[in-house]
Amino acid sequence: MDPPLLPELLRNQAMIVSAAPYRNRKMINLFKIKDQKKGDAANTNGKPAAKKQSPGELRLHKDIAELNLPKTTKITFPNGKDDLMNFECTIKPDEGYYMGGNFVFTFQVPPAYPHEPPKVKCKTKVYHPNIDLDGNVCLNILREDWKPVLNINTIVYGLNLLFSQPNDEDPLNHDAAAVLRDDPKKFEKNVQRAMAGGYVGETHFPRCI
């Protein structure tokens, strides 16, 4: 190699070496920008940004905030605060045939709420004219009499009313309704036997008292 060209060669090599950190800095800055964008999609706790709530969820939040539960009733959220559309309502009547029993109802609130009523089922197997053995509930405000102005509080009071005033005129359990209508004393004994974990006819009821 011609010696006069050596300084120029060294200068070119120095430029190549010094350019490498510059390229690395550009890559690092690019990664930082990407990381920042990811961070913007998460909150300070590292959790994903909250999804946009549906009108049904917004209305349900309002209903829950305004709940005025009777002392016989409590509401729990088995799936946690992130799933308010599915919850349980436990009723412990303090009067009537069902006094002292514990009865759990599940609520599934549809996205179209309040234009559609919640789906309510009784998890507790109960001897009742208006609740069948599969947990279906006969309550007019859950069917043809539902209106968007009604709310969760209205349903809770309606369920409480089923235990204080069971109705033999619009039954789901026709056998229980017939006994209530024709022999209230026998109906009372059947209810007590069922809540204690016994049999009524050939049907066994788990203890709920």
Side-chain angles (χ1 to χ4, degrees):
M1 179 177 296
D2 192 351
L5 297 178
L6 183 58
E8 184 177 350
L9 178 62
L10 292 176
R11 283 197 302 272
N12 290 340
Q13 288 178 340
M15 289 176 63
I16 293 171
V17 171
S18 63
Y22 176 72
R23 287 197 300 270
N24 289 340
R25 284 197 300 271
K26 286 185 68 177
M27 291 178 68
I28 291 171
N29 289 337
L30 181 61
F31 290 141
K32 284 183 178 179
I33 292 171
K34 289 182 177 180
D35 289 341
Q36 182 64 42
K37 288 181 178 179
K38 290 180 180 178
D40 291 342
N43 62 23
T44 55
N45 294 324
K47 297 179 181 179
K51 66 176 183 178
K52 185 177 180 180
Q53 291 183 322
S54 68
E57 288 174 311
L58 292 173
R59 167 61 188 272
L60 182 61
H61 274 279
K62 179 176 182 293
D63 282 6
I64 291 172
E66 297 175 353
L67 277 177
N68 182 22
L69 298 176
K71 61 182 180 179
T72 58
T73 307
K74 68 176 181 178
I75 286 179
T76 56
F77 297 87
N79 300 329
K81 64 180 181 180
D82 293 331
D83 184 11
L84 299 185
M85 304 293 275
N86 294 278
F87 59 90
E88 293 183 351
C89 172
T90 302
I91 297 177
K92 187 173 183 177
D94 58 2
E95 62 178 354
Y97 295 114
Y98 297 90
M99 184 172 62
N102 282 280
F103 305 97
V104 180
F105 293 84
T106 60
F107 280 61
Q108 291 183 321
V109 183
Y113 179 79
H115 301 288
E116 294 178 11
K119 291 180 171 61
V120 179
K121 293 197 76 171
C122 188
K123 283 180 66 175
T124 308
K125 194 173 183 179
V126 57
Y127 178 79
H128 196 293
N130 310 117
I131 304 172
D132 68 20
L133 299 179
D134 294 321
N136 297 303
V137 180
C138 182
L139 190 63
N140 62 328
I141 57 172
L142 292 175
R143 301 180 302 172
E144 68 275 4
D145 289 340
W146 175 259
K147 296 178 178 61
V149 295
L150 302 179
N151 55 31
I152 300 299
N153 222 56
T154 311
I155 299 171
V156 168
Y157 274 87
L159 294 175
N160 274 272
L161 193 64
L162 286 183
F163 290 106
S164 61
Q165 300 178 30
N167 178 12
D168 61 40
E169 295 182 358
D170 189 17
L172 286 180
N173 185 330
H174 293 273
D175 291 338
V179 176
L180 174 62
R181 180 181 63 248
D182 300 334
D183 193 345
K185 288 292 185 183
K186 181 180 179 181
F187 178 81
E188 182 177 7
K189 290 179 180 178
N190 286 350
V191 169
Q192 293 300 315
R193 188 180 299 115
M195 291 197 304
Y199 281 84
V200 177
E202 297 181 355
T203 302
H204 178 261
F205 293 84
R207 181 180 175 86
C208 66
I209 195 171

